[in-house]
Amino acid sequence: MWARAATIGGWLHPDQACALWEAARRVRPGGTIVEIGSHQGRSTVVLAAAAGQAGTRVVAIDPFVEGRMFGGAGTRTQFEANLDAAGLRDAVELIAQPSGTIRPQWTERIDMLYIDGKHDYWTVRDDLRWTSYIPQGGQVLVHDAFSSVGVTVALLRHVLPGRGLRYLGRTGSLAQFEVAPPHARDRVRMLGELPWWLRNLAIKVVLRAGRMFGHRATPDPF
Ligand SMILES: C[S@@+](CC[C@H](N)C(=O)[O-])C[C@H]1O[C@@H](n2cnc3c(N)ncnc32)[C@H](O)[C@@H]1O
């Protein structure tokens, strides 16, 4: 499935795709996976392919925002074409609206939540509220954790001191949590990621500065 996903534009790395696949395979048969932020469908095809083998439902939420970075309506067309090409169009329910608009109307149980939507602090804070639909033992994965400022600050303010999510670890910037009361050592392990975050921020600053002088070659880390 990675061979297919790698042809789709996106930011998910191969080892992160493996982690997503493994997490999706752990969802109970007939369970529900919700993905916030699908873009062209790189992570969606991984989730849907893994879920299909277990009879799990996949809901993809993305308003396909306009702009240089995410591409708007053209990205939705690309998303649908990519799912078609993977033979997974019918395996995914697309909700093309912002996650924050959908959440107040949502009523169903979620078994696995993948957060990779808008990366500002306020949106991520709101996306973390989707965890209230997940029973104990359910899974939450967050992309660009300890990399993006907005994502990381939201995790530090709302997960680190909270009592709902236990930090399990990360694959690059893909952080994994379990819905369970955290132990002190889980909080310490989250704090232990801060030097890596600072390292990522430092690299981003250097790359941004380089771009001011016309250097275009290197993408941001994670
Ligand atoms: C980083 S991309 C997602 C990448 C995708 N998971 C992948 O593996 O390629 C972020 C996506 O979030 C979407 N997005 C922006 N605001 C959103 C919101 N409020 N709710 C859900 N998705 C949003 C954007 O349209 C964009 O497609």
Side-chain angles (χ1 to χ4, degrees):
M1 187 41 66
W2 176 249
R4 164 77 59 188
T7 66
I8 299 173
W11 295 265
L12 192 73
H13 292 209
D15 49 349
Q16 298 173 342
C18 285
L20 270 189
W21 172 280
E22 296 293 342
R25 292 299 303 269
R26 283 194 290 273
V27 174
R28 70 188 169 100
T32 299
I33 297 172
V34 169
E35 173 183 72
I36 297 175
S38 302
H39 193 53
Q40 295 183 15
R42 180 183 276 209
S43 49
T44 321
V45 299
V46 172
L47 292 172
Q53 299 186 9
T56 305
R57 176 182 174 217
V58 177
V59 179
I61 299 173
D62 196 316
F64 299 104
V65 294
E66 296 293 338
R68 189 176 56 85
M69 191 149 181
F70 295 133
T75 301
R76 178 177 180 159
T77 306
Q78 197 68 56
F79 170 85
E80 289 168 344
N82 289 332
L83 286 177
D84 270 336
L88 292 166
R89 179 77 172 267
D90 294 337
V92 176
E93 296 169 39
L94 172 65
I95 302 178
Q97 291 188 56
S99 53
T101 306
I102 300 305
R103 191 179 53 77
Q105 307 155 23
W106 189 269
T107 53
E108 293 154 53
R109 166 189 166 134
I110 296 170
D111 296 277
M112 172 181 162
L113 175 67
Y114 177 44
I115 299 177
D116 192 18
K118 201 173 175 193
H119 283 12
D120 67 280
Y121 163 76
W122 297 273
T123 305
V124 179
R125 178 187 64 181
D126 197 63
D127 286 347
L128 286 166
R129 294 185 177 138
W130 283 82
T131 57
S132 64
Y133 300 96
I134 310 177
Q136 292 291 303
Q139 307 179 81
V140 179
L141 292 94
V142 182
H143 201 237
D144 292 317
F146 311 112
S147 172
S148 153
V149 174
V151 176
T152 309
V153 173
L155 290 175
L156 294 178
R157 282 203 65 186
H158 300 288
V159 175
L160 180 66
R163 294 200 297 207
L165 292 181
R166 196 164 92 77
Y167 180 56
L168 300 178
R170 61 176 175 85
T171 306
S173 68
L174 179 69
Q176 284 189 254
F177 301 87
E178 181 189 4
V179 176
H183 303 293
R185 64 176 175 276
D186 302 319
R187 299 186 209 275
V188 170
R189 277 190 298 121
M190 266 188 93
L191 288 172
E193 304 295 6
L194 295 187
W196 190 70
W197 180 40
L198 294 176
R199 167 246 187 219
N200 286 335
L201 288 183
I203 294 173
K204 284 179 196 224
V205 168
V206 169
L207 291 174
R208 294 278 191 288
R211 276 177 207 150
M212 282 168 56
F213 295 100
H215 182 72
R216 293 272 178 271
T218 320
D220 278 4
F222 308 109

